[in-house]
Amino acid sequence: MNNKEKYINAFVEGLEIDADKVEGLKYQEIPEWDSVGHMSLVASIEDAFDIMMETDDIIDFNSFDKGIELLKKYNVEM
Amino acid sequence: MLEDFYELNPYELDKDAKEKMLTKELLELTELHRQKCEPYGNMLAAQGYEKEKITSYYDLPFYPVRMFKEEELLSIDKEEIFKTMTSSGTTGQKVSKIYLDRDNAMAQQKVLIKILGDYLGKKRLPMLIIDSPEIVKNRQSFTARGAAIIGLRIAASKMTFALNEDMELDLDVVTEFLEKNAGKKFVIFGFTFLVWKHLYQAMKEKGKKLDLSNAYLFTGGGWKKIEAEKVSREEFKECFTKQFGITHFLDHYGMVEQTGCIYAECECGHLHASIYSDIIPRRYEDFSPCEIGEKGILQVVSVLPHSYPGHSLLTEDEGMILGEDDCPCGRKGKYVKIFGRVKNAELRGCSDVYASKF
């Protein structure tokens, strides 16, 4: 799996949603991505790339696209 | 603008700088809520509010906190609500309802993390929660107790619930948590009475000692029941030091109406007001502000409430200012002592409400 696939897969597993819903998704847009879902999503992203995100980044992470941008900081390029 | 506050360290402003910044922000908030929330606007009109006459946030009108029980107070359209928070309340009490839109909820989260980071450091730590996972089951509506735990979740590298559904300590879970995090700093969080009853007393009865010397014990939500058992706050700490080796205590004062702006305990045992909020003890006879060291009924102001008019409230708690800008811990701003509910007020602390069942 390349990084983009891993990233999409983290959404699928973390939020328990279908892969076709993932791209372009925003925080709070669907019931699954609420504050509770947010933390399991973060956990699956951290597992997928073996990183630990900073709290500020977890708070700023509010969309599929924003996540891609934030992950650059952790040397995850897509 | 809240963004101006985010640029600063939560405790870096002295009295004058903080007053200037808070006054400007709170005046704008008062105006926002006056326009958007009719009952609030009526209250201001009844009090003869004229914004031109306000030179300091000390002069802003305040709302009794109980109003959130009596009326639906919101400054947004109903469609914009995405979380409703309810206060703790014992059976038969009306609960306060606080309506949040997305931005307000995000701001609360952000500020809570900024404040906590000042005490725990920036690194996310493992957290052992002295509560049952049931408390965060309903995702649309949270009690204050659940909301506090969800809010903390971001600051945790991993969260482990130490109690089962029947509110009993699961020793296997705790043991496994301690093995996994041996030698690391971690946080134990729970409301004061739950920590007292389900961690300290439960382990004492079993005659078991645990080594929790690497933990910060983060508590909050009321001392009533514990003080009724004739245990002072100092004795409470001694018990945890003796039984578990805990030396880092981090109590806090906060309320659902101003979630995020907590008053957290420093190394000297003082509760500190951050740049996001302030506490003004007032005299009963005429509501004039108390001097340092004088006990009064607490007014709280906060720059966070945008979706509901909760930025200047009269609580039902008593407290006093111990000092300002000169705590030995180095944090600027007021540091306070909280005595708890005024006599005959309803019981509403998270910890106190749970404790009332025993």
Side-chain angles (χ1 to χ4, degrees):
Chain A
M1 259 201 286
N2 66 26
N3 281 349
K4 186 74 178 275
E5 285 163 346
K6 275 192 198 172
Y7 182 62
I8 290 172
N9 193 49
F11 273 81
V12 171
E13 286 181 4
L15 299 178
E16 296 174 13
I17 55 173
D18 297 332
D20 60 349
K21 271 193 179 170
V22 172
E23 299 226 16
L25 198 63
K26 290 187 176 65
Y27 179 58
Q28 300 289 358
E29 208 171 34
I30 53 169
E32 290 86 351
W33 195 0
D34 62 358
S35 52
V36 181
H38 190 62
M39 290 319 298
S40 48
L41 170 60
V42 167
S44 34
I45 290 173
E46 289 181 332
D47 287 346
F49 298 109
D50 196 21
I51 54 170
M52 167 94 86
M53 288 170 74
E54 287 172 18
T55 48
D56 284 351
D57 293 333
I58 297 177
I59 290 170
D60 292 340
F61 172 36
N62 59 6
S63 70
F64 178 85
D65 297 331
K66 182 79 185 177
I68 293 175
E69 185 195 322
L70 286 169
L71 284 172
K72 287 180 185 154
K73 201 168 124 180
Y74 301 89
N75 302 322
V76 177
E77 297 288 341
M78 294 179 217
Chain B
M1 290 293 288
L2 253 183
E3 281 67 28
D4 303 339
F5 288 79
Y6 293 150
E7 303 294 310
L8 302 167
N9 164 314
Y11 297 100
E12 75 171 73
L13 296 181
D14 63 11
K15 187 177 188 309
D16 292 345
K18 178 172 168 176
E19 184 160 358
K20 220 168 132 176
M21 206 159 161
L22 270 189
T23 299
K24 182 174 170 287
E25 190 72 18
L26 290 167
L27 264 170
E28 284 170 16
L29 267 181
T30 304
E31 197 48 33
L32 170 92
H33 294 308
R34 190 181 68 81
Q35 290 172 12
K36 297 264 175 110
C37 178
E38 199 181 339
Y40 180 77
N42 295 342
M43 187 274 299
L44 289 185
Q47 293 200 10
Y49 174 72
E50 292 175 61
K51 66 176 174 208
E52 296 73 25
K53 289 196 175 153
I54 305 284
T55 52
S56 159
Y57 66 87
Y58 276 74
D59 305 328
L60 284 172
F62 41 83
Y63 229 37
V65 82
R66 202 170 279 219
M67 293 302 285
F68 288 94
K69 286 192 167 62
E70 307 299 333
E71 294 200 62
E72 290 198 334
L73 296 166
L74 55 160
S75 301
I76 48 173
D77 294 336
K78 284 235 155 118
E79 296 73 62
E80 293 174 84
I81 299 172
F82 86 91
K83 276 268 190 293
T84 306
M85 293 205 297
T86 52
S87 61
S88 316
T90 46
T91 325
Q93 281 183 359
K94 280 187 183 169
V95 293
S96 295
K97 283 198 166 158
I98 305 297
Y99 299 99
L100 300 175
D101 63 3
R102 243 176 85 161
D103 288 348
N104 209 137
M106 297 283 275
Q108 288 182 347
Q109 180 83 70
K110 206 174 171 113
V111 168
L112 174 70
I113 297 300
K114 278 187 180 288
I115 291 176
L116 273 182
D118 202 81
Y119 296 85
L120 302 173
K122 268 221 169 287
K123 215 168 142 286
R124 285 161 57 203
L125 300 172
M127 288 194 195
L128 186 66
I129 306 297
I130 309 301
D131 214 318
S132 146
E134 297 299 304
I135 198 81
V136 293
K137 276 272 152 67
N138 180 346
R139 291 166 68 155
Q140 291 319 308
S141 166
F142 289 121
T143 60
R145 214 168 99 202
I149 292 168
I150 292 288
L152 273 183
R153 181 67 188 83
I154 284 190
S157 56
K158 191 172 182 324
M159 214 173 229
T160 306
F161 286 85
L163 306 186
N164 63 17
E165 286 168 30
D166 302 324
M167 300 297 286
E168 289 157 346
L169 190 73
D170 190 329
L171 207 49
D172 295 343
V173 169
V174 177
T175 312
E176 191 188 341
F177 175 91
L178 292 175
E179 281 167 7
K180 258 196 200 140
N181 297 297
K184 285 188 217 156
K185 278 211 176 322
F186 63 96
V187 175
I188 299 172
F189 173 75
F191 288 99
T192 321
F193 181 74
L194 277 77
V195 169
W196 176 250
K197 183 169 177 65
H198 298 306
L199 179 62
Y200 174 71
Q201 288 185 326
M203 291 305 287
K204 208 173 166 209
E205 273 163 29
K206 288 191 170 96
K208 282 206 163 62
K209 291 211 170 192
L210 287 170
D211 178 11
L212 305 175
S213 54
N214 280 327
Y216 291 93
L217 182 62
F218 182 30
T219 51
W223 290 82
K224 237 188 170 70
K225 181 85 175 182
I226 297 168
E227 283 171 345
E229 289 184 19
K230 297 283 176 281
V231 177
S232 71
R233 292 175 199 208
E234 289 70 31
E235 286 164 335
F236 175 93
K237 287 181 182 176
E238 280 163 23
C239 289
F240 278 87
T241 307
K242 217 164 92 184
Q243 188 78 18
F244 306 117
I246 296 175
T247 53
H248 290 283
F249 295 93
L250 181 63
D251 190 33
H252 82 286
Y253 172 67
M255 65 210 75
V256 71
E257 293 83 358
Q258 293 186 351
T259 300
C261 289
I262 60 167
Y263 299 82
E265 181 183 21
C266 70
E267 301 75 8
C268 311
H270 299 142
L271 298 172
H272 281 261
S274 74
I275 58 173
Y276 298 94
S277 71
D278 205 17
I279 283 192
I280 306 169
R282 292 187 175 271
R283 300 185 179 107
Y284 285 95
E285 54 275 19
D286 60 1
F287 286 120
S288 57
C290 296
E291 297 294 328
I292 287 177
E294 184 187 0
K295 191 167 161 179
I297 186 165
L298 299 177
Q299 180 204 352
V300 287
V301 295
S302 161
V303 298
L304 290 184
H306 283 72
S307 58
Y308 62 99
H311 60 302
S312 173
L313 298 170
L314 186 68
T315 69
E316 292 167 353
D317 296 326
E318 284 181 311
M320 69 161 73
I321 299 169
L322 298 171
E324 187 163 20
D325 293 343
D326 58 1
C327 180
C329 79
R331 290 177 181 86
K332 291 269 188 285
K334 284 179 195 165
Y335 49 102
V336 298
K337 185 175 165 75
I338 308 289
F339 294 100
R341 323 286 296 144
V342 293
K343 237 176 113 183
N344 301 333
E346 305 178 286
L347 206 56
R348 61 194 288 273
C350 293
S351 160
D352 292 336
V353 168
Y354 177 77
S356 69
K357 294 189 286 199
F358 291 88

